[in-house]
PDB file of all heavy atoms in Angstrom:
ATOM      1  N   SER A 102     -36.151-117.459 -56.649  1.00 81.00           N
ATOM      2  CA  SER A 102     -36.220-116.024 -56.885  1.00 81.00           C
ATOM      3  C   SER A 102     -36.700-115.742 -58.298  1.00 81.00           C
ATOM      4  O   SER A 102     -36.019-116.048 -59.272  1.00 81.00           O
ATOM      5  CB  SER A 102     -34.846-115.377 -56.670  1.00 81.00           C
ATOM      6  OG  SER A 102     -34.873-114.019 -57.050  1.00 81.00           O
ATOM      7  N   ILE A 103     -37.885-115.148 -58.442  1.00 81.00           N
ATOM      8  CA  ILE A 103     -38.422-114.803 -59.757  1.00 81.00           C
ATOM      9  C   ILE A 103     -38.915-113.366 -59.759  1.00 81.00           C
ATOM     10  O   ILE A 103     -39.863-113.006 -60.447  1.00 81.00           O
ATOM     11  CB  ILE A 103     -39.541-115.775 -60.188  1.00 81.00           C
ATOM     12  CG1 ILE A 103     -40.551-115.990 -59.059  1.00 81.00           C
ATOM     13  CG2 ILE A 103     -38.947-117.104 -60.619  1.00 81.00           C
ATOM     14  CD1 ILE A 103     -41.695-116.897 -59.442  1.00 81.00           C
ATOM     15  N   GLY A 104     -38.266-112.511 -58.975  1.00 82.00           N
ATOM     16  CA  GLY A 104     -38.606-111.098 -58.956  1.00 82.00           C
ATOM     17  C   GLY A 104     -37.898-110.355 -60.071  1.00 82.00           C
ATOM     18  O   GLY A 104     -37.280-110.942 -60.958  1.00 82.00           O
ATOM     19  N   CYS A 105     -37.995-109.013 -60.017  1.00 80.00           N
ATOM     20  CA  CYS A 105     -37.422-108.209 -61.096  1.00 80.00           C
ATOM     21  C   CYS A 105     -36.299-107.301 -60.624  1.00 80.00           C
ATOM     22  O   CYS A 105     -35.757-106.541 -61.423  1.00 80.00           O
ATOM     23  CB  CYS A 105     -38.510-107.380 -61.787  1.00 80.00           C
ATOM     24  SG  CYS A 105     -39.545-106.387 -60.704  1.00 80.00           S
ATOM     25  N   ALA A 106     -35.933-107.353 -59.345  1.00 82.00           N
ATOM     26  CA  ALA A 106     -34.842-106.522 -58.835  1.00 82.00           C
ATOM     27  C   ALA A 106     -34.518-106.979 -57.418  1.00 82.00           C
ATOM     28  O   ALA A 106     -34.963-108.045 -56.975  1.00 82.00           O
ATOM     29  CB  ALA A 106     -35.211-105.042 -58.865  1.00 82.00           C
ATOM     30  N   ASN A 107     -33.756-106.158 -56.709  1.00 87.00           N
ATOM     31  CA  ASN A 107     -33.388-106.453 -55.326  1.00 87.00           C
ATOM     32  C   ASN A 107     -33.948-105.351 -54.423  1.00 87.00           C
ATOM     33  O   ASN A 107     -33.282-104.351 -54.166  1.00 87.00           O
ATOM     34  CB  ASN A 107     -31.864-106.534 -55.199  1.00 87.00           C
ATOM     35  CG  ASN A 107     -31.406-106.871 -53.784  1.00 87.00           C
ATOM     36  OD1 ASN A 107     -32.199-106.888 -52.843  1.00 87.00           O
ATOM     37  ND2 ASN A 107     -30.118-107.125 -53.627  1.00 87.00           N
ATOM     38  N   PRO A 108     -35.179-105.510 -53.937  1.00 90.00           N
ATOM     39  CA  PRO A 108     -35.785-104.454 -53.125  1.00 90.00           C
ATOM     40  C   PRO A 108     -35.112-104.264 -51.771  1.00 90.00           C
ATOM     41  O   PRO A 108     -35.243-103.199 -51.162  1.00 90.00           O
ATOM     42  CB  PRO A 108     -37.237-104.909 -52.964  1.00 90.00           C
ATOM     43  CG  PRO A 108     -37.172-106.396 -53.106  1.00 90.00           C
ATOM     44  CD  PRO A 108     -36.085-106.658 -54.112  1.00 90.00           C
ATOM     45  N   VAL A 109     -34.394-105.270 -51.307  1.00 91.00           N
ATOM     46  CA  VAL A 109     -33.701-105.139 -50.024  1.00 91.00           C
ATOM     47  C   VAL A 109     -32.603-104.077 -50.135  1.00 91.00           C
ATOM     48  O   VAL A 109     -32.431-103.240 -49.242  1.00 91.00           O
ATOM     49  CB  VAL A 109     -33.120-106.495 -49.577  1.00 91.00           C
ATOM     50  CG1 VAL A 109     -32.364-106.360 -48.273  1.00 91.00           C
ATOM     51  CG2 VAL A 109     -34.244-107.515 -49.432  1.00 91.00           C
ATOM     52  N   ALA A 110     -31.871-104.096 -51.243  1.00 88.00           N
ATOM     53  CA  ALA A 110     -30.860-103.061 -51.460  1.00 88.00           C
ATOM     54  C   ALA A 110     -31.514-101.696 -51.602  1.00 88.00           C
ATOM     55  O   ALA A 110     -30.995-100.686 -51.127  1.00 88.00           O
ATOM     56  CB  ALA A 110     -30.044-103.390 -52.698  1.00 88.00           C
ATOM     57  N   LEU A 111     -32.674-101.654 -52.250  1.00 89.00           N
ATOM     58  CA  LEU A 111     -33.405-100.402 -52.450  1.00 89.00           C
ATOM     59  C   LEU A 111     -33.888 -99.813 -51.125  1.00 89.00           C
ATOM     60  O   LEU A 111     -33.933 -98.595 -50.955  1.00 89.00           O
ATOM     61  CB  LEU A 111     -34.606-100.666 -53.369  1.00 89.00           C
ATOM     62  CG  LEU A 111     -35.476 -99.497 -53.790  1.00 89.00           C
ATOM     63  CD1 LEU A 111     -34.707 -98.575 -54.720  1.00 89.00           C
ATOM     64  CD2 LEU A 111     -36.748-100.006 -54.471  1.00 89.00           C
ATOM     65  N   ALA A 112     -34.216-100.671 -50.162  1.00 94.00           N
ATOM     66  CA  ALA A 112     -34.838-100.225 -48.919  1.00 94.00           C
ATOM     67  C   ALA A 112     -33.872 -99.577 -47.942  1.00 94.00           C
ATOM     68  O   ALA A 112     -34.295 -98.807 -47.072  1.00 94.00           O
ATOM     69  CB  ALA A 112     -35.529-101.411 -48.240  1.00 94.00           C
ATOM     70  N   GLY A 113     -32.589 -99.881 -48.031  1.00 93.00           N
ATOM     71  CA  GLY A 113     -31.634 -99.311 -47.091  1.00 93.00           C
ATOM     72  C   GLY A 113     -31.951 -99.661 -45.645  1.00 93.00           C
ATOM     73  O   GLY A 113     -32.007 -98.788 -44.768  1.00 93.00           O
ATOM     74  N   LEU A 114     -32.156-100.935 -45.376  1.00 96.00           N
ATOM     75  CA  LEU A 114     -32.571-101.380 -44.052  1.00 96.00           C
ATOM     76  C   LEU A 114     -31.504-101.110 -43.001  1.00 96.00           C
ATOM     77  O   LEU A 114     -30.301-101.190 -43.271  1.00 96.00           O
ATOM     78  CB  LEU A 114     -32.897-102.868 -44.076  1.00 96.00           C
ATOM     79  CG  LEU A 114     -34.031-103.283 -45.022  1.00 96.00           C
ATOM     80  CD1 LEU A 114     -34.177-104.796 -45.038  1.00 96.00           C
ATOM     81  CD2 LEU A 114     -35.341-102.616 -44.626  1.00 96.00           C
ATOM     82  N   GLU A 115     -31.977-100.819 -41.781  1.00 97.00           N
ATOM     83  CA  GLU A 115     -31.101-100.541 -40.652  1.00 97.00           C
ATOM     84  C   GLU A 115     -31.341-101.551 -39.545  1.00 97.00           C
ATOM     85  O   GLU A 115     -32.447-102.082 -39.403  1.00 97.00           O
ATOM     86  CB  GLU A 115     -31.356 -99.136 -40.106  1.00 97.00           C
ATOM     87  CG  GLU A 115     -31.081 -98.009 -41.093  1.00 97.00           C
ATOM     88  CD  GLU A 115     -29.608 -97.816 -41.372  1.00 97.00           C
ATOM     89  OE1 GLU A 115     -28.789 -98.315 -40.564  1.00 97.00           O
ATOM     90  OE2 GLU A 115     -29.271 -97.178 -42.388  1.00 97.00           O
ATOM     91  N   PRO A 116     -30.309-101.853 -38.731  1.00 98.00           N
ATOM     92  CA  PRO A 116     -30.503-102.767 -37.595  1.00 98.00           C
ATOM     93  C   PRO A 116     -31.654-102.300 -36.706  1.00 98.00           C
ATOM     94  O   PRO A 116     -31.817-101.099 -36.459  1.00 98.00           O
ATOM     95  CB  PRO A 116     -29.167-102.698 -36.853  1.00 98.00           C
ATOM     96  CG  PRO A 116     -28.172-102.332 -37.918  1.00 98.00           C
ATOM     97  CD  PRO A 116     -28.904-101.393 -38.841  1.00 98.00           C
ATOM     98  N   GLY A 117     -32.451-103.256 -36.274  1.00 98.00           N
ATOM     99  CA  GLY A 117     -33.552-102.962 -35.369  1.00 98.00           C
ATOM    100  C   GLY A 117     -34.864-102.640 -36.047  1.00 98.00           C
ATOM    101  O   GLY A 117     -35.902-102.534 -35.373  1.00 98.00           O
ATOM    102  N   GLU A 118     -34.873-102.508 -37.369  1.00 98.00           N
ATOM    103  CA  GLU A 118     -36.124-102.204 -38.059  1.00 98.00           C
ATOM    104  C   GLU A 118     -36.952-103.474 -38.267  1.00 98.00           C
ATOM    105  O   GLU A 118     -36.427-104.585 -38.325  1.00 98.00           O
ATOM    106  CB  GLU A 118     -35.830-101.542 -39.412  1.00 98.00           C
ATOM    107  CG  GLU A 118     -35.299-100.140 -39.288  1.00 98.00           C
ATOM    108  CD  GLU A 118     -35.201 -99.420 -40.615  1.00 98.00           C
ATOM    109  OE1 GLU A 118     -34.758-100.046 -41.610  1.00 98.00           O
ATOM    110  OE2 GLU A 118     -35.544 -98.222 -40.660  1.00 98.00           O
ATOM    111  N   ASP A 119     -38.258-103.275 -38.397  1.00 98.00           N
ATOM    112  CA  ASP A 119     -39.188-104.347 -38.742  1.00 98.00           C
ATOM    113  C   ASP A 119     -39.619-104.139 -40.185  1.00 98.00           C
ATOM    114  O   ASP A 119     -39.972-103.021 -40.591  1.00 98.00           O
ATOM    115  CB  ASP A 119     -40.409-104.323 -37.822  1.00 98.00           C
ATOM    116  CG  ASP A 119     -40.041-104.534 -36.366  1.00 98.00           C
ATOM    117  OD1 ASP A 119     -39.213-105.414 -36.077  1.00 98.00           O
ATOM    118  OD2 ASP A 119     -40.597-103.812 -35.508  1.00 98.00           O
ATOM    119  N   VAL A 120     -39.598-105.224 -40.967  1.00 98.00           N
ATOM    120  CA  VAL A 120     -39.839-105.104 -42.399  1.00 98.00           C
ATOM    121  C   VAL A 120     -40.830-106.162 -42.854  1.00 98.00           C
ATOM    122  O   VAL A 120     -40.855-107.282 -42.325  1.00 98.00           O
ATOM    123  CB  VAL A 120     -38.511-105.201 -43.190  1.00 98.00           C
ATOM    124  CG1 VAL A 120     -37.785-106.504 -42.891  1.00 98.00           C
ATOM    125  CG2 VAL A 120     -38.737-105.050 -44.683  1.00 98.00           C
ATOM    126  N   LEU A 121     -41.649-105.822 -43.827  1.00 98.00           N
ATOM    127  CA  LEU A 121     -42.643-106.723 -44.396  1.00 98.00           C
ATOM    128  C   LEU A 121     -42.420-106.845 -45.888  1.00 98.00           C
ATOM    129  O   LEU A 121     -42.274-105.838 -46.589  1.00 98.00           O
ATOM    130  CB  LEU A 121     -44.055-106.183 -44.136  1.00 98.00           C
ATOM    131  CG  LEU A 121     -45.201-106.826 -44.941  1.00 98.00           C
ATOM    132  CD1 LEU A 121     -45.405-108.282 -44.542  1.00 98.00           C
ATOM    133  CD2 LEU A 121     -46.488-106.020 -44.778  1.00 98.00           C
ATOM    134  N   ASP A 122     -42.425-108.088 -46.399  1.00 98.00           N
ATOM    135  CA  ASP A 122     -42.327-108.358 -47.827  1.00 98.00           C
ATOM    136  C   ASP A 122     -43.693-108.809 -48.329  1.00 98.00           C
ATOM    137  O   ASP A 122     -44.219-109.835 -47.887  1.00 98.00           O
ATOM    138  CB  ASP A 122     -41.269-109.436 -48.082  1.00 98.00           C
ATOM    139  CG  ASP A 122     -41.095-109.752 -49.562  1.00 98.00           C
ATOM    140  OD1 ASP A 122     -41.585-108.980 -50.407  1.00 98.00           O
ATOM    141  OD2 ASP A 122     -40.455-110.779 -49.868  1.00 98.00           O
ATOM    142  N   LEU A 123     -44.271-108.048 -49.253  1.00 98.00           N
ATOM    143  CA  LEU A 123     -45.568-108.390 -49.836  1.00 98.00           C
ATOM    144  C   LEU A 123     -45.364-109.369 -50.982  1.00 98.00           C
ATOM    145  O   LEU A 123     -44.721-109.043 -51.974  1.00 98.00           O
ATOM    146  CB  LEU A 123     -46.256-107.127 -50.359  1.00 98.00           C
ATOM    147  CG  LEU A 123     -46.591-106.046 -49.336  1.00 98.00           C
ATOM    148  CD1 LEU A 123     -47.148-104.810 -50.032  1.00 98.00           C
ATOM    149  CD2 LEU A 123     -47.570-106.564 -48.300  1.00 98.00           C
ATOM    150  N   GLY A 124     -45.917-110.577 -50.837  1.00 96.00           N
ATOM    151  CA  GLY A 124     -45.728-111.614 -51.847  1.00 96.00           C
ATOM    152  C   GLY A 124     -44.342-112.198 -51.760  1.00 96.00           C
ATOM    153  O   GLY A 124     -43.549-112.122 -52.703  1.00 96.00           O
ATOM    154  N   SER A 125     -44.038-112.816 -50.638  1.00 96.00           N
ATOM    155  CA  SER A 125     -42.658-113.174 -50.289  1.00 96.00           C
ATOM    156  C   SER A 125     -42.130-114.412 -50.991  1.00 96.00           C
ATOM    157  O   SER A 125     -40.930-114.691 -50.923  1.00 96.00           O
ATOM    158  CB  SER A 125     -42.535-113.344 -48.773  1.00 96.00           C
ATOM    159  OG  SER A 125     -43.565-114.167 -48.258  1.00 96.00           O
ATOM    160  N   GLY A 126     -42.977-115.180 -51.669  1.00 93.00           N
ATOM    161  CA  GLY A 126     -42.505-116.313 -52.461  1.00 93.00           C
ATOM    162  C   GLY A 126     -41.634-117.269 -51.676  1.00 93.00           C
ATOM    163  O   GLY A 126     -41.960-117.667 -50.552  1.00 93.00           O
ATOM    164  N   GLY A 127     -40.493-117.633 -52.256  1.00 93.00           N
ATOM    165  CA  GLY A 127     -39.587-118.580 -51.608  1.00 93.00           C
ATOM    166  C   GLY A 127     -38.768-117.997 -50.483  1.00 93.00           C
ATOM    167  O   GLY A 127     -37.970-118.715 -49.876  1.00 93.00           O
ATOM    168  N   GLY A 128     -38.927-116.722 -50.196  1.00 95.00           N
ATOM    169  CA  GLY A 128     -38.356-116.140 -48.988  1.00 95.00           C
ATOM    170  C   GLY A 128     -37.046-115.400 -49.142  1.00 95.00           C
ATOM    171  O   GLY A 128     -36.503-114.902 -48.151  1.00 95.00           O
ATOM    172  N   ILE A 129     -36.523-115.259 -50.366  1.00 93.00           N
ATOM    173  CA  ILE A 129     -35.190-114.684 -50.520  1.00 93.00           C
ATOM    174  C   ILE A 129     -35.091-113.286 -49.915  1.00 93.00           C
ATOM    175  O   ILE A 129     -34.136-112.972 -49.193  1.00 93.00           O
ATOM    176  CB  ILE A 129     -34.756-114.677 -52.009  1.00 93.00           C
ATOM    177  CG1 ILE A 129     -33.298-114.224 -52.147  1.00 93.00           C
ATOM    178  CG2 ILE A 129     -35.699-113.866 -52.877  1.00 93.00           C
ATOM    179  CD1 ILE A 129     -32.728-114.430 -53.551  1.00 93.00           C
ATOM    180  N   ASP A 130     -36.081-112.429 -50.166  1.00 95.00           N
ATOM    181  CA  ASP A 130     -35.993-111.056 -49.676  1.00 95.00           C
ATOM    182  C   ASP A 130     -36.269-110.952 -48.183  1.00 95.00           C
ATOM    183  O   ASP A 130     -35.712-110.091 -47.501  1.00 95.00           O
ATOM    184  CB  ASP A 130     -36.930-110.154 -50.471  1.00 95.00           C
ATOM    185  CG  ASP A 130     -36.513-110.041 -51.931  1.00 95.00           C
ATOM    186  OD1 ASP A 130     -35.307-109.893 -52.177  1.00 95.00           O
ATOM    187  OD2 ASP A 130     -37.387-110.125 -52.819  1.00 95.00           O
ATOM    188  N   VAL A 131     -37.099-111.843 -47.657  1.00 97.00           N
ATOM    189  CA  VAL A 131     -37.315-111.871 -46.212  1.00 97.00           C
ATOM    190  C   VAL A 131     -36.044-112.293 -45.483  1.00 97.00           C
ATOM    191  O   VAL A 131     -35.648-111.686 -44.481  1.00 97.00           O
ATOM    192  CB  VAL A 131     -38.480-112.815 -45.848  1.00 97.00           C
ATOM    193  CG1 VAL A 131     -38.600-112.990 -44.336  1.00 97.00           C
ATOM    194  CG2 VAL A 131     -39.794-112.270 -46.408  1.00 97.00           C
ATOM    195  N   LEU A 132     -35.390-113.327 -45.991  1.00 96.00           N
ATOM    196  CA  LEU A 132     -34.176-113.811 -45.333  1.00 96.00           C
ATOM    197  C   LEU A 132     -33.062-112.780 -45.401  1.00 96.00           C
ATOM    198  O   LEU A 132     -32.341-112.561 -44.414  1.00 96.00           O
ATOM    199  CB  LEU A 132     -33.742-115.134 -45.958  1.00 96.00           C
ATOM    200  CG  LEU A 132     -34.759-116.279 -45.830  1.00 96.00           C
ATOM    201  CD1 LEU A 132     -34.237-117.527 -46.520  1.00 96.00           C
ATOM    202  CD2 LEU A 132     -35.096-116.569 -44.379  1.00 96.00           C
ATOM    203  N   LEU A 133     -32.907-112.127 -46.550  1.00 95.00           N
ATOM    204  CA  LEU A 133     -31.906-111.063 -46.650  1.00 95.00           C
ATOM    205  C   LEU A 133     -32.259-109.898 -45.730  1.00 95.00           C
ATOM    206  O   LEU A 133     -31.385-109.312 -45.088  1.00 95.00           O
ATOM    207  CB  LEU A 133     -31.794-110.580 -48.096  1.00 95.00           C
ATOM    208  CG  LEU A 133     -31.140-111.551 -49.082  1.00 95.00           C
ATOM    209  CD1 LEU A 133     -31.233-111.003 -50.501  1.00 95.00           C
ATOM    210  CD2 LEU A 133     -29.688-111.824 -48.708  1.00 95.00           C
ATOM    211  N   SER A 134     -33.539-109.557 -45.657  1.00 97.00           N
ATOM    212  CA  SER A 134     -33.969-108.474 -44.769  1.00 97.00           C
ATOM    213  C   SER A 134     -33.688-108.811 -43.313  1.00 97.00           C
ATOM    214  O   SER A 134     -33.233-107.956 -42.539  1.00 97.00           O
ATOM    215  CB  SER A 134     -35.466-108.202 -44.956  1.00 97.00           C
ATOM    216  OG  SER A 134     -35.748-107.725 -46.251  1.00 97.00           O
ATOM    217  N   ALA A 135     -33.975-110.050 -42.934  1.00 97.00           N
ATOM    218  CA  ALA A 135     -33.742-110.462 -41.551  1.00 97.00           C
ATOM    219  C   ALA A 135     -32.266-110.319 -41.177  1.00 97.00           C
ATOM    220  O   ALA A 135     -31.933-109.906 -40.058  1.00 97.00           O
ATOM    221  CB  ALA A 135     -34.203-111.903 -41.358  1.00 97.00           C
ATOM    222  N   ARG A 136     -31.376-110.662 -42.109  1.00 95.00           N
ATOM    223  CA  ARG A 136     -29.943-110.469 -41.849  1.00 95.00           C
ATOM    224  C   ARG A 136     -29.626-108.995 -41.645  1.00 95.00           C
ATOM    225  O   ARG A 136     -28.832-108.622 -40.780  1.00 95.00           O
ATOM    226  CB  ARG A 136     -29.139-110.994 -43.031  1.00 95.00           C
ATOM    227  CG  ARG A 136     -29.341-112.469 -43.351  1.00 95.00           C
ATOM    228  CD  ARG A 136     -28.617-113.381 -42.403  1.00 95.00           C
ATOM    229  NE  ARG A 136     -28.457-114.712 -42.981  1.00 95.00           N
ATOM    230  CZ  ARG A 136     -28.192-115.792 -42.270  1.00 95.00           C
ATOM    231  NH1 ARG A 136     -28.046-115.708 -40.957  1.00 95.00           N
ATOM    232  NH2 ARG A 136     -28.049-116.974 -42.865  1.00 95.00           N
ATOM    233  N   ARG A 137     -30.239-108.131 -42.477  1.00 96.00           N
ATOM    234  CA  ARG A 137     -29.920-106.704 -42.401  1.00 96.00           C
ATOM    235  C   ARG A 137     -30.417-106.054 -41.116  1.00 96.00           C
ATOM    236  O   ARG A 137     -29.730-105.193 -40.555  1.00 96.00           O
ATOM    237  CB  ARG A 137     -30.520-105.962 -43.612  1.00 96.00           C
ATOM    238  CG  ARG A 137     -30.075-106.446 -44.977  1.00 96.00           C
ATOM    239  CD  ARG A 137     -28.566-106.322 -45.201  1.00 96.00           C
ATOM    240  NE  ARG A 137     -28.203-106.807 -46.533  1.00 96.00           N
ATOM    241  CZ  ARG A 137     -27.940-108.070 -46.824  1.00 96.00           C
ATOM    242  NH1 ARG A 137     -28.000-109.003 -45.885  1.00 96.00           N
ATOM    243  NH2 ARG A 137     -27.599-108.421 -48.053  1.00 96.00           N
ATOM    244  N   VAL A 138     -31.608-106.424 -40.673  1.00 98.00           N
ATOM    245  CA  VAL A 138     -32.165-105.760 -39.479  1.00 98.00           C
ATOM    246  C   VAL A 138     -31.629-106.363 -38.184  1.00 98.00           C
ATOM    247  O   VAL A 138     -31.766-105.758 -37.115  1.00 98.00           O
ATOM    248  CB  VAL A 138     -33.710-105.780 -39.493  1.00 98.00           C
ATOM    249  CG1 VAL A 138     -34.229-105.085 -40.741  1.00 98.00           C
ATOM    250  CG2 VAL A 138     -34.260-107.204 -39.409  1.00 98.00           C
ATOM    251  N   GLY A 139     -31.037-107.535 -38.264  1.00 97.00           N
ATOM    252  CA  GLY A 139     -30.385-108.122 -37.093  1.00 97.00           C
ATOM    253  C   GLY A 139     -31.351-108.636 -36.039  1.00 97.00           C
ATOM    254  O   GLY A 139     -32.569-108.580 -36.206  1.00 97.00           O
ATOM    255  N   PRO A 140     -30.822-109.123 -34.942  1.00 97.00           N
ATOM    256  CA  PRO A 140     -31.656-109.787 -33.932  1.00 97.00           C
ATOM    257  C   PRO A 140     -32.639-108.860 -33.240  1.00 97.00           C
ATOM    258  O   PRO A 140     -33.620-109.335 -32.649  1.00 97.00           O
ATOM    259  CB  PRO A 140     -30.624-110.342 -32.939  1.00 97.00           C
ATOM    260  CG  PRO A 140     -29.394-109.525 -33.154  1.00 97.00           C
ATOM    261  CD  PRO A 140     -29.388-109.177 -34.614  1.00 97.00           C
ATOM    262  N   THR A 141     -32.418-107.553 -33.288  1.00 98.00           N
ATOM    263  CA  THR A 141     -33.373-106.631 -32.666  1.00 98.00           C
ATOM    264  C   THR A 141     -34.474-106.209 -33.630  1.00 98.00           C
ATOM    265  O   THR A 141     -35.410-105.499 -33.230  1.00 98.00           O
ATOM    266  CB  THR A 141     -32.651-105.375 -32.144  1.00 98.00           C
ATOM    267  OG1 THR A 141     -31.988-104.719 -33.241  1.00 98.00           O
ATOM    268  CG2 THR A 141     -31.634-105.747 -31.076  1.00 98.00           C
ATOM    269  N   GLY A 142     -34.405-106.626 -34.868  1.00 98.00           N
ATOM    270  CA  GLY A 142     -35.448-106.360 -35.842  1.00 98.00           C
ATOM    271  C   GLY A 142     -36.146-107.649 -36.237  1.00 98.00           C
ATOM    272  O   GLY A 142     -35.788-108.742 -35.777  1.00 98.00           O
ATOM    273  N   ARG A 143     -37.147-107.525 -37.104  1.00 98.00           N
ATOM    274  CA  ARG A 143     -37.888-108.712 -37.521  1.00 98.00           C
ATOM    275  C   ARG A 143     -38.341-108.527 -38.964  1.00 98.00           C
ATOM    276  O   ARG A 143     -38.682-107.420 -39.390  1.00 98.00           O
ATOM    277  CB  ARG A 143     -39.102-108.956 -36.622  1.00 98.00           C
ATOM    278  CG  ARG A 143     -39.748-110.319 -36.831  1.00 98.00           C
ATOM    279  CD  ARG A 143     -40.587-110.727 -35.642  1.00 98.00           C
ATOM    280  NE  ARG A 143     -41.102-112.084 -35.758  1.00 98.00           N
ATOM    281  CZ  ARG A 143     -40.417-113.171 -35.435  1.00 98.00           C
ATOM    282  NH1 ARG A 143     -39.187-113.039 -34.976  1.00 98.00           N
ATOM    283  NH2 ARG A 143     -40.943-114.369 -35.565  1.00 98.00           N
ATOM    284  N   ALA A 144     -38.349-109.628 -39.712  1.00 98.00           N
ATOM    285  CA  ALA A 144     -38.775-109.615 -41.112  1.00 98.00           C
ATOM    286  C   ALA A 144     -39.972-110.543 -41.281  1.00 98.00           C
ATOM    287  O   ALA A 144     -39.942-111.703 -40.841  1.00 98.00           O
ATOM    288  CB  ALA A 144     -37.635-110.057 -42.026  1.00 98.00           C
TER     289      ALA A 144
END
């Protein structure tokens, strides 16, 4: 993780949403997003 904040907290993700991380690096924000949107969503 070499970002400058936590955009996942900023996004207010909801279960079932689909989310895209631009410049995902080692995957920290994608993995956190996937947890937030749950099995009916996708990161």
Side-chain angles (χ1 to χ4, degrees):
S102 173
I103 47 178
C105 52
N107 181 351
V109 178
L111 184 68
L114 299 175
E115 298 289 342
E118 289 188 317
D119 299 317
V120 57
L121 166 67
D122 181 14
L123 298 175
S125 49
I129 187 170
D130 295 317
V131 173
L132 299 178
L133 289 174
S134 295
R136 301 283 199 199
R137 302 299 180 274
V138 301
T141 59
R143 192 160 186 83

